Amino acid sequence: MARISTNGRQGRALLAGLGLLVLMGLGVALWLARAGPTVRVGEVTIDPRAPINPERTYRLILWEENVVLSGAGTTYRTFLEDRVEAFREVHPNVTVEFQLLPPGEAVNRLEGALASGQPPDVYGSLSPRLFDRNYQVPVDAFLPRARDGEPHFLPAAWEALTADGQVWGWPRWIRFITWAGRRSLLAGTGLDVDQAAQEGWTFPQALASLAQAGGGQMPGLLVHPQEPELVRSLMAAGGHGLMLQEGSLAWSQDAIEEVAAFLVAARQQTRMPRNLEAAARERVARFLQGRVGVITPVRPELAAHLLRTVPREELVLLPPPRPEGSPFHVPADLAAYLVFRQTPYQGDDQTRLAMELARFLIQSKDAWVSSQFPAVPALLSDQALWQREAPWPEATSQALLRWAEAAVTPSLDPDEAAVLRQMDDQVLAPWLARLWDEEAPSAWAAGLYQALLDQVPEPGG
């Protein structure tokens, strides 16, 4: 009996020990659940849930690439001042100092600030990049979790900011590079304009329609003959959006030839004027006067101007055409807010507050900014507001939403962006100047392909 009693005491002690371990494990699990994951940025580990001290006075620096709101009845500076003041009403212990800069100047200043370890807390970019892993803070750990599991953002916008399993900015809106057409001049050409706007159109459809625009009595198409975006947008529409992938040329010679053949055919069949340079300078005026069927490329700022000067039902925005059999893709740019830390580190609460500022700026009224362009807000909850504010017909809104699902955006790699700018200036623009009198697109495509390879050799080349 004594032996049995001893075993019982040992068993109870063992059970008590196991119970204590279970309780300790539950406590650790609860602490981890509350603490959540940390974020490593350079030499700093950041707690995304660090409390903001209501007794501390904070100073946040905001830099923005200026947005031109032509015809919107206000300036972007005035808009941003109102938004910053609204943020300070929520956080009265915060001072936000902001600067609006031209995009090129802003990027140069940011790179210099990163080199010295003193970037702004928040940077509003029209062409976001993963600029510096030692200072740029990924945002996904700071995102409030949706209870129903539904995404907060357009998947294309979220994915465009994703690299190495992390998201490197707060997406604002996706803006599109379009072709612009006059509905009355495309009527009767056999093209279902609304279907083409929503689902895209092919090279053969474009050639057939543009050759008959305005009864075949005027140019069906006017282009900027040396604008690299002309080729890049057509390549993107054909499923070849990224010229570079991991430092190597991703465009194939066959894909370049297909685009070249389309442009040469358009030159021959759509009554382009003999002097393409002069026509390029006049293309917007001709379009406004109803003397050309379609113009391209149309950047967001130009599209915003057309949306306010051409009658609502007359203007149709079209995606760039694509080769027959290619999936539907639309070239686009993404706007986003990026968040940075500094040296010396200002604290987890400062970083979280910078994230709160970025998250505040992308909400609600920012959808009004995107409605001034052919753009779609990345935040899904703001699309109803965007549709109410947009100055275009419902059919255009539906087309843009469809485009957002098929958007092709630039790489996040800043080194690739620098190489692409060099290739635009030194390769694409001069080679485009040669294309328009070219009788053999295959020879032109072979030459351009080799010139691009010379700029960005294949690995090991």
Side-chain angles (χ1 to χ4, degrees):
M1 294 294 293
R3 184 178 300 167
I4 294 174
S5 175
T6 301
N7 288 343
R9 287 195 300 272
Q10 290 175 342
R12 286 192 295 274
L14 179 59
L15 288 174
L18 288 174
L20 180 60
L21 287 174
V22 169
L23 288 174
M24 290 175 64
L26 288 173
V28 170
L30 181 61
W31 179 84
L32 288 173
R34 288 177 177 172
T38 57
V39 179
R40 185 76 177 177
V41 181
E43 60 189 21
V44 172
T45 299
I46 303 171
D47 178 6
R49 292 164 181 77
I52 296 170
N53 183 356
E55 303 301 323
R56 176 184 169 186
T57 299
Y58 295 90
R59 174 175 171 264
L60 295 177
I61 304 299
L62 167 66
W63 290 359
E64 285 241 21
E65 296 178 9
N66 192 32
V67 178
V68 179
L69 297 176
S70 176
T74 187
T75 65
Y76 188 65
R77 176 177 295 278
T78 299
F79 170 82
L80 190 58
E81 287 172 348
D82 291 343
R83 296 297 287 148
V84 166
E85 185 57 34
F87 179 77
R88 291 198 67 240
E89 290 178 3
V90 181
H91 299 280
N93 57 327
V94 179
T95 297
V96 179
E97 299 177 10
F98 74 85
Q99 294 187 48
L100 283 180
L101 302 164
E105 178 185 335
V107 171
N108 291 337
R109 285 192 58 180
L110 177 64
E111 291 174 347
L114 286 167
S116 65
Q118 294 297 308
D121 296 281
V122 181
Y123 179 83
S125 175
L126 300 178
S127 53
R129 301 283 184 266
L130 175 46
F131 286 99
D132 192 323
R133 294 175 186 274
N134 288 317
Y135 291 100
Q136 191 164 338
V137 184
V139 308
D140 32 330
F142 294 84
L143 179 70
R145 302 301 173 188
R147 293 180 180 177
D148 54 8
E150 290 298 314
H152 289 272
F153 298 95
L154 286 169
W158 197 244
E159 291 165 10
L161 289 166
T162 300
D164 301 329
Q166 293 182 298
V167 183
W168 297 94
W170 292 92
R172 299 179 66 186
W173 11 271
I174 295 178
R175 302 197 305 175
F176 301 99
I177 299 145
T178 72
W179 292 37
R182 296 196 69 113
R183 185 181 295 271
S184 63
L185 299 181
L186 297 176
T189 66
L191 179 71
D192 185 329
V193 175
D194 291 320
Q195 182 176 0
Q198 291 218 15
E199 301 176 12
W201 51 335
T202 64
F203 286 171
Q205 287 175 321
L207 290 173
S209 177
L210 297 175
Q212 302 174 55
Q217 302 302 309
M218 63 179 62
L221 176 66
L222 289 181
V223 303
H224 190 307
Q226 296 184 43
E227 171 55 66
E229 188 58 58
L230 177 62
V231 169
R232 284 196 274 106
S233 63
L234 289 170
M235 291 293 290
H240 311 281
L242 297 179
M243 185 191 296
L244 300 177
Q245 286 186 345
E246 297 181 355
S248 298
L249 182 64
W251 286 4
S252 71
Q253 183 175 324
D254 288 343
I256 295 172
E257 181 178 343
E258 200 163 21
V259 167
F262 168 73
L263 290 174
V264 169
R267 172 82 161 107
Q268 297 168 347
Q269 298 176 30
T270 66
R271 293 177 175 79
M272 288 190 191
R274 179 170 300 177
N275 188 332
L276 290 182
E277 287 291 343
R281 291 191 295 270
E282 300 169 359
R283 72 189 192 282
V284 175
R286 288 193 185 201
F287 188 81
L288 294 175
Q289 295 162 7
R291 296 193 294 121
V292 59
V294 172
I295 59 173
T296 188
V298 177
R299 296 183 181 275
E301 292 79 8
L302 175 55
H305 174 65
L306 297 178
L307 286 164
R308 288 174 173 79
T309 51
V310 177
R312 280 170 56 97
E313 300 301 331
E314 172 69 356
L315 177 67
V316 57
L317 298 179
L318 296 159
R322 66 187 189 274
E324 265 190 315
S326 296
F328 184 42
H329 297 284
V330 183
D333 289 323
L334 178 71
Y337 282 107
L338 314 179
V339 176
F340 297 92
R341 73 167 185 91
Q342 298 79 32
T343 297
Y345 184 50
Q346 302 300 304
D348 292 356
D349 52 344
Q350 174 97 0
T351 300
R352 181 173 170 200
L353 196 55
M355 289 288 178
E356 290 296 319
L357 173 61
R359 188 161 69 94
F360 180 87
L361 291 174
I362 68 170
Q363 296 180 71
S364 299
K365 290 190 177 181
D366 198 46
W368 173 84
V369 178
S370 65
S371 73
Q372 307 308 303
F373 305 96
V376 175
L379 201 60
L380 294 175
S381 60
D382 283 343
Q383 288 186 0
L385 171 65
W386 164 77
Q387 289 186 334
R388 291 196 304 270
E389 296 286 345
W392 52 70
E394 174 67 19
T396 300
S397 293
Q398 294 305 313
L400 295 178
L401 289 171
R402 176 72 179 88
W403 296 4
E405 298 174 0
V408 178
T409 55
S411 166
L412 283 179
D413 190 325
D415 294 330
E416 289 188 1
V419 172
L420 288 174
R421 287 193 296 271
Q422 178 178 317
M423 294 169 77
D424 277 357
D425 296 338
Q426 299 182 14
V427 182
L428 280 181
W431 272 86
L432 262 174
R434 307 178 195 179
L435 172 66
W436 303 103
D437 296 319
E438 178 65 63
E439 297 296 329
S442 58
W444 182 88
L448 173 59
Y449 181 74
Q450 186 59 52
L452 293 172
L453 277 180
D454 291 342
Q455 290 284 332
V456 185
E458 293 290 339

